[in-house]
Amino acid sequence: MTTPLLGQMMDVPLIVSSLLAHAARHAGSTEIVSRRIEGDLHRYTYRDCEQRAKQLAQALIALGVAPGERVATLAWNGYRHLEAYYGITGFGAVCHTINPSLFPDQIAYIVNHADDAYVLFDTTFAPLVDALAPQCPKVRGWIALADEAHLPAMQTPVLSYETLMAAQDGNFAWPYLDERQASYLCYTSGTTGNPKGALYSHRSTVLHAFGASLPDAMSLSARDAVLPVVPMFHVNAWGIPHAAPLTGAKLVLPGKDLDGKSLYELMEGERVTYSAGVPTVWLGLLNYMREAGVQFSSLNRTVIGGSACPPAMLRTFEDDYGVQVIHAWGMTEMSPLGTLSKLTWEQSRRPLAEQRKSLEKQGRAIYGVDMKIVGEEGRELPWDGVAFGDLHVRGPWVIDRYFRKDDSPLADGWFPTGDVATIDRDGFLHITDRSKDVIKSGGEWISSIDIENVAIAHPAVAEAACIACAHPKWTERPLLVVVRRAGASVTREELLAFYEGKVAKWWIPDDVAFVDELPHTATGKLQKLKLRDIFRDHVLPSALEDEKNCSLARGNPV
Ligand code: ADP
């Protein structure tokens, strides 16, 4: 056997600290602007950020934190949180970002499961920390992201972040770590059962940042000022805190005020060109802008993902505000980016209506993510835009196994996402459901997301969710649950008539229920499990009718 001829290039590890080091050196005076919990706007540069991240690394080492140990954050998007990202991972410890809007019991479970050594928290979460501390005895210290003057009155003994920082000089060289070492720990929201931990590596984080920055992905550049609305406590704000220093983009961090007015004013004030968030957040921003009668003067692109972007929202952004929407799909287990809706050369030469149809989908996989849809017995399904199947993925930033769980979640080396999708000839993914949310009517699947998208396009509808309701003949039929827009009125019959010609007749919901609000998860997704629970005893008018006609004059294709 001959020895393979190895390349003769530098063996420089792909480590997280290199991203910030690059920005500090090559975009050193580019700004990071943060809306602080203290209320004011804080500004400094990548150079300052790296200096303080090094001070934090020194402070944590002085506290006895060893490489591999977990240090958690409970914080909004802000400069201190960014310092924590780099200060913790930079010397080999693991940055565990906690979602503060989970139930306190779930957070306690996560802190204990992760075995966090220290927890850094924004002072808004002081009451939460007081509730958590007695349940998390192994945490060695709670560090308030504040100076002494802003320490809140608490039962838990806490350390001041700024005091710890002041004791360090920042004279610290980032060590060369093994790129396969763990970098971040992110837990899934745990809509069913306990949250599960996805443990990223330095290599996966850096490769993801490269992938995320590509022109056909998030297309970030040094000409952008990017405002991630997506929280740094959820899947690393989709990688923006890494992609921004990689590209040298200006970062604008919005803190805790995510209402339409606050976001709009910050975007305008800082000449933001680029943003990213879940549809719920954009709903608030668009409502504010409509009411205030204002336009964007600098924003030109936004990524929308986390749950399906309703086509109506896409049209509003593009037609009324001149903002390009990039629809993205991914998940915690994928760091999170998987696909983004950027047209190919060929697609962009098709009629506009066809282009729009493609852009409504979740888009093409970026390099680093391979995907397939499978049917029964794992048989791969064709990419014809029609066949629905379970979506499986693999790649260097997809998890191999969950943190502290022995059993492998993989099937034949692929990660089953739990999503149901079609893929068309262009390679465009279209998510039709979570597998547990799909509605199975007479053995055929109805996409709840498609049903919701039609409802949301109705001018009187603010928000809509479609869930399965028990039916004696078809097993399940769709029930549409709707929140009316303030001051608008629409009846059940008008809404059902609105579906005519927009979806197959047998997809039209059997009933509409009006509610004041819909339940959301901590990350702004519809909580369908809870909604199904609320409507568990709902009786569909069609179910009441005689089984033999079942009123489904629309007919099911069985
Ligand atoms: P959780 O922690 O709740 O799992 P994730 O952010 O990891 O939170 O959620 C991932 C899931 O969110 C995906 O599996 C998918 O069901 C849904 N999702 C994400 N982006 C989209 C999108 N653009 N369209 C439809 N569903 C999406």
Side-chain angles (χ1 to χ4, degrees):
M1 232 179 36
T2 52
T3 332
L5 178 64
L6 297 182
Q8 294 177 331
M9 309 305 282
M10 291 186 192
D11 197 7
V12 178
L14 302 176
I15 51 178
V16 171
S17 59
S18 68
L19 298 168
L20 185 59
H22 171 80
R25 205 162 152 80
H26 302 282
S29 51
T30 298
E31 273 187 320
I32 299 168
V33 181
S34 309
R35 165 81 61 208
R36 298 207 304 169
I37 309 305
E38 291 89 330
D40 55 345
L41 273 187
H42 171 276
R43 312 177 168 270
Y44 71 174
T45 64
Y46 277 119
R47 204 176 293 120
D48 303 325
C49 180
E50 190 194 30
Q51 168 73 15
R52 289 197 16 120
K54 287 181 169 180
Q55 283 172 254
L56 176 60
Q58 290 174 311
L60 291 172
I61 293 168
L63 284 171
V65 177
E69 280 198 300
R70 272 74 60 203
V71 176
T73 61
L74 259 173
W76 302 104
N77 292 8
Y79 68 105
R80 290 182 181 123
H81 202 175
L82 193 67
E83 291 160 9
Y85 265 44
Y86 288 94
I88 295 169
T89 58
F91 72 96
V94 179
C95 178
H96 168 207
T97 52
I98 303 175
N99 184 341
S101 34
L102 294 175
F103 293 118
D105 281 353
Q106 264 181 339
I107 300 182
Y109 167 86
I110 289 174
V111 171
N112 290 326
H113 185 266
D115 204 359
D116 291 326
Y118 283 86
V119 179
L120 278 58
F121 65 97
D122 267 332
T123 51
T124 26
F125 302 119
L128 177 61
V129 167
D130 272 342
L132 288 173
Q135 297 181 62
C136 306
K138 284 167 75 187
V139 172
R140 303 206 288 272
W142 302 81
I143 302 172
L145 293 167
D147 56 22
E148 296 286 341
H150 289 90
L151 285 188
M154 294 177 64
Q155 287 148 18
T156 316
V158 299
L159 299 163
S160 152
Y161 178 81
E162 293 300 341
T163 305
L164 291 174
M165 295 283 277
Q168 306 299 334
D169 60 8
N171 187 5
F172 179 80
W174 297 121
Y176 264 20
L177 307 168
D178 180 333
E179 63 180 22
R180 289 162 305 175
Q181 262 176 259
S183 55
Y184 293 88
L185 178 60
C186 298
Y187 281 76
T188 62
S189 306
T191 24
T192 49
N194 273 327
K196 290 183 287 220
L199 186 64
Y200 307 151
S201 66
H202 281 263
R203 174 185 150 83
S204 73
T205 306
V206 173
L207 288 176
H208 180 266
F210 265 117
S213 307
L214 287 171
D216 281 348
M218 298 224 258
S219 67
L220 272 179
S221 97
R223 286 169 299 287
D224 281 311
V226 49
L227 186 155
V229 185
V230 51
M232 289 168 70
F233 58 68
H234 187 61
V235 216
N236 290 172
W238 299 347
I240 291 173
H242 304 121
L246 181 146
T247 53
K250 168 177 168 176
L251 254 182
V252 182
L253 301 171
K256 67 175 175 38
D257 297 325
L258 304 178
D259 60 284
K261 184 169 189 286
S262 308
L263 284 178
Y264 177 77
E265 287 173 357
L266 191 57
M267 283 176 174
E268 286 298 298
E270 294 304 322
R271 312 282 305 147
V272 166
T273 57
Y274 192 97
S275 193
V278 295
T280 336
V281 160
W282 299 127
L283 209 62
L285 181 68
L286 291 175
N287 278 342
Y288 167 77
M289 291 183 67
R290 194 179 39 236
E291 279 160 26
V294 289
Q295 287 282 332
F296 293 115
S297 62
S298 53
L299 189 76
N300 56 50
R301 282 129 57 237
T302 187
V303 181
I304 303 186
S307 46
C309 170
M313 180 174 282
L314 194 147
R315 280 194 296 276
T316 308
F317 262 115
E318 300 208 340
D319 299 344
D320 300 352
Y321 297 105
V323 174
Q324 183 198 355
V325 169
I326 303 162
H327 192 190
W329 167 84
M331 58 197 313
T332 305
E333 290 89 336
M334 299 175 68
S335 307
L337 287 181
T339 67
L340 295 104
S341 64
K342 288 287 190 72
L343 299 183
T344 60
W345 180 88
E346 197 208 326
Q347 283 174 305
S348 56
R349 273 154 189 78
R350 294 181 191 157
L352 269 179
E354 236 178 279
Q355 294 185 28
R356 274 263 157 102
K357 276 277 153 234
S358 297
L359 289 171
E360 287 169 10
K361 299 185 177 186
Q362 281 77 359
R364 265 177 320 127
I366 40 180
Y367 169 80
V369 173
D370 192 8
M371 61 184 185
K372 65 175 181 180
I373 43 172
V374 300
E376 272 157 33
E377 288 145 23
R379 192 173 35 88
E380 187 166 352
L381 297 175
W383 291 20
D384 58 8
V386 179
F388 284 67
D390 290 316
L391 177 62
H392 291 200
V393 292
R394 65 178 176 192
W397 60 74
V398 177
I399 64 156
D400 184 45
R401 126 183 66 109
Y402 288 102
F403 184 53
R404 294 189 156 164
K405 280 197 179 291
D406 293 333
D407 43 334
S408 167
L410 306 190
D412 276 342
W414 292 74
F415 176 72
T417 62
D419 284 333
V420 176
T422 65
I423 305 177
D424 65 20
R425 284 186 192 84
D426 299 315
F428 265 51
L429 177 78
H430 176 49
I431 301 284
T432 55
D433 259 307
R434 290 293 289 165
S435 56
K436 54 187 183 298
D437 294 337
V438 81
I439 299 161
K440 298 193 185 83
S441 171
E444 297 286 333
W445 287 2
I446 296 176
S447 158
S448 66
I449 296 179
D450 287 357
I451 304 288
E452 287 154 11
N453 282 344
V454 173
I456 293 163
H458 191 286
V461 173
E463 218 185 342
C466 184
I467 52 170
C469 218
H471 192 284
K473 179 165 180 184
W474 306 112
T475 317
E476 289 177 357
R477 288 292 303 159
L479 164 70
L480 184 69
V481 188
V482 167
V483 180
R484 289 192 189 94
R485 211 177 268 288
S489 69
V490 62
T491 64
R492 168 186 188 276
E493 286 65 32
E494 284 163 351
L495 261 184
L496 294 181
F498 190 64
Y499 278 89
E500 296 291 340
K502 296 192 177 78
V503 293
K505 271 189 178 311
W506 64 279
W507 278 34
I508 299 177
D510 278 28
D511 201 5
V512 182
F514 293 97
V515 293
D516 291 338
E517 59 175 354
L518 290 169
H520 290 102
T521 64
T523 45
K525 292 173 211 267
L526 283 172
Q527 228 176 353
K528 295 217 174 154
L529 197 69
K530 194 158 174 189
L531 204 59
R532 280 196 293 269
D533 221 37
I534 296 171
F535 285 94
R536 203 182 31 223
D537 300 326
H538 185 84
V539 182
L540 294 169
S542 58
L544 273 180
E545 292 168 27
D546 190 347
E547 280 219 32
K548 73 178 179 303
N549 65 37
C550 233
S551 96
L552 284 180
R554 309 173 187 120
N556 225 11
V558 279

